[in-house]
Amino acid sequence: MHEIRLTRDEQPIPGTVLYIGPFGTKALQDGTSFDFDWLYTEVVSATIREAGMKPVRADSVYGPASVLDAVWRAIQQAEAVVCDFSCRAPNVAMEYMAAKLIGKRMVYLSQSAEDIPSDIRGLRHIPYSNSYADMSHMRDELRVQLKAVCEEPVQEMALIPMATGGTVPARAQVVSVSREFVVVRGDDGAHGVLGGEDVDWARIVPDMTRLYNVGDRLDGAFEMSPSGGAKYTLLTGRPNPWQELATTHPVGRAFTGTVHSVREAGVFVRVAGPLNGLVPRSALPPGFHTVPGARLQVAVTEIEARRRRITLHLDGPAPQGSSPAAPQGRADSGPVLAVGDRLEGEVVKVAPEGQGGYLLLSVEGRRRPVFLHCSAMTAELRRDLNAGGVDRGEVLDVEITHIDLERDRISVRDIADLDDQEPATAT
């Protein structure tokens, strides 16, 4: 890694496991060939996910143009590292030393003890081969060791902010708010700008005034630029779901997704994690109808990570009047909803504080309204509620926070207006 300075300027992301190992098909000592890409995809990656963690390989990490920069960034961000010494790959030895320099918690694999560099032989490693029994044993042992190392005390190199760049975690207070951005002041007096693209991986916030007020306290980080400026972000330490999207959902990939919401722009369908894609209204057949919670067969048309947009199209015959089945034991045939789903709700009852302090909202495809308590409202909406500024028929964007199946009651919280985001991912 001679092209970069090994200075710590990134924080580890909880639950992230970096795999360091050979790439592609390699010849083993016995003359046979082994596909290490298959090993990562079908064995190592799957085992890490079974352990409740997120697998990362260096070639999937976004970063500066230099590959070495991306690898160094991935090593810093990993909570733990799985290092496979098989085939004596030079890049593995180099990346192992970089991870060791930081003090990363590590698990070691190798098809042969002779492949481990001579100056560190004696490391406890998990042996494996292409046989089913050995591979099965390796998976079981890897799962156990990952759990064990993540319970060990952290003894990593401390983050060292650099004058020319780096990320510095810091609490800050909002000192100025506009539609486009928020100015914050850190506890040490440093100032930075929080933009709409640094709040949520799933969307770019169109109006920061709906989310923040002067005096609000934030937990984020200052990102220093080489020019000496600083921006403030709330995304440090939160896995970027766009990094794997090109691999898991490339353009043309067809899949069955759950309808997240139906809006004037079209139908938003859950793609991966918090990310939703849009089937534009213009791409829907005449008379097409669906509701949140329905299942649709769609395919990826375009991914615009920088704009946080995923465009989809219907794949195959479009179902007419599609609607999901009701859960067992429910007479209500409304949509199947889950905590975290975001909806549009029309106000059907207004009760200011002193009269209950809540709103009832009607959502498409559901007979009973959802419940929005004043404690789950944004400061602006709560003020409007008590000042008589909320009218029946007004449409609000909300997110489901609790579902009581026995009483068929859904509670929600108020979120910022997303109308300006069409056709971005709906959240």
Side-chain angles (χ1 to χ4, degrees):
M1 295 193 174
H2 61 280
E3 295 181 9
I4 60 172
R5 294 179 59 187
L6 299 186
T7 303
R8 186 72 187 272
D9 57 4
E10 292 275 358
Q11 292 280 18
I13 299 174
T16 300
V17 179
L18 174 67
Y19 171 74
I20 295 174
F23 291 82
T25 301
K26 297 287 189 296
L28 303 179
Q29 291 184 3
D30 61 4
T32 61
S33 296
F34 188 86
D35 187 348
F36 286 94
D37 288 344
W38 170 87
L39 175 73
Y40 172 73
T41 303
E42 302 298 328
V43 181
V44 176
S45 176
T47 304
I48 292 172
R49 293 185 190 279
E50 290 169 7
M53 307 181 80
K54 177 185 176 182
V56 174
R57 200 164 71 164
D59 59 348
S60 68
V61 176
Y62 290 145
S66 169
V67 174
L68 299 179
D69 280 324
V71 171
W72 177 235
R73 182 181 179 210
I75 291 172
Q76 294 182 76
Q77 291 180 346
E79 180 180 0
V81 174
V82 174
C83 184
D84 189 345
F85 287 109
S86 300
C87 295
R88 304 183 184 184
N91 69 292
V92 174
M94 180 172 57
E95 291 160 18
Y96 159 77
M97 290 305 299
K100 196 69 174 176
L101 172 69
I102 294 179
K104 285 293 176 182
R105 295 173 287 189
M106 305 177 74
V107 177
Y108 308 103
L109 311 176
S110 186
Q111 295 199 29
S112 171
E114 297 299 316
D115 287 341
I116 299 175
S118 58
D119 54 349
I120 56 171
R121 286 202 184 142
L123 286 174
R124 181 188 174 192
H125 71 282
I126 305 173
Y128 70 97
S129 72
N130 206 18
S131 74
Y132 176 82
D134 284 353
M135 198 68 71
S136 179
H137 174 267
M138 185 267 277
R139 292 188 66 154
D140 292 341
E141 184 67 16
L142 176 58
R143 192 180 304 111
V144 170
Q145 287 202 27
L146 278 173
K147 181 179 179 180
V149 298
C150 288
E151 291 175 352
E152 295 175 357
V154 178
Q155 296 181 335
E156 292 189 17
M157 175 195 296
L159 183 88
I160 303 175
M162 299 177 63
T164 56
T167 302
V168 184
R171 284 182 58 78
Q173 185 174 34
V174 176
V175 296
S176 175
V177 180
S178 69
R179 182 180 176 86
E180 292 77 22
F181 59 84
V182 167
V183 178
V184 304
R185 180 178 60 241
D187 292 344
D188 62 353
H191 285 76
V193 175
L194 172 66
E197 71 279 1
D198 287 304
V199 175
D200 189 338
W201 282 123
R203 62 183 176 127
I204 296 176
V205 177
D207 185 357
M208 298 290 279
T209 63
R210 289 295 307 273
L211 295 183
Y212 301 106
N213 295 292
V214 172
D216 288 350
R217 297 285 293 175
L218 305 177
D219 284 304
F222 288 99
E223 288 191 357
M224 312 300 177
S225 68
S227 62
K231 75 171 184 177
Y232 195 74
T233 177
L234 302 180
L235 301 180
T236 298
R238 294 165 57 182
N240 182 353
W242 295 93
Q243 293 181 351
E244 293 187 357
L245 198 66
T247 300
T248 60
H249 292 79
V251 172
R253 165 76 182 276
F255 64 97
T256 300
T258 301
V259 174
H260 178 274
S261 60
V262 180
R263 298 173 179 267
E264 184 177 348
V267 176
F268 287 91
V269 178
R270 183 75 74 189
V271 177
L275 305 183
N276 300 312
L278 173 69
V279 182
R281 180 72 62 183
S282 60
L284 297 173
F288 177 81
H289 173 73
T290 189
V291 295
R295 303 282 285 173
L296 288 182
Q297 183 71 16
V298 295
V300 178
T301 301
E302 185 178 19
I303 296 175
E304 300 177 86
R306 295 188 67 179
R307 301 178 69 186
R308 312 274 168 87
R309 296 187 179 187
I310 306 169
T311 305
L312 307 173
H313 62 269
L314 295 178
D315 185 65
Q320 295 297 311
S322 62
S323 61
Q328 287 188 341
R330 285 273 307 280
D332 189 350
S333 61
V336 177
L337 301 173
V339 171
D341 284 352
R342 296 187 175 184
L343 314 167
E344 282 185 337
E346 180 180 339
V347 177
V348 294
K349 183 175 181 179
V350 181
E353 293 182 58
Q355 301 176 29
Y358 65 87
L359 297 173
L360 293 183
L361 309 174
S362 173
V363 299
E364 184 176 357
R366 178 176 166 79
R367 292 187 307 188
R368 297 193 62 182
V370 300
F371 180 77
L372 174 58
H373 190 260
C374 59
S375 62
M377 298 178 185
T378 61
E380 180 181 355
L381 180 60
R382 190 167 183 170
R383 286 194 299 267
D384 290 346
L385 171 71
N386 295 317
V390 180
D391 299 319
R392 294 183 61 179
E394 184 173 343
V395 176
L396 302 176
D397 290 292
V398 294
E399 178 180 89
I400 296 177
T401 58
H402 180 73
I403 297 177
D404 186 337
L405 292 177
E406 291 187 2
R407 295 192 296 170
D408 189 24
R409 175 168 167 168
I410 294 178
S411 299
V412 298
R413 72 177 181 92
D414 175 37
I415 57 177
D417 184 5
L418 302 181
D419 289 345
D420 293 339
Q421 186 145 349
E422 299 172 359
T425 54
T427 57

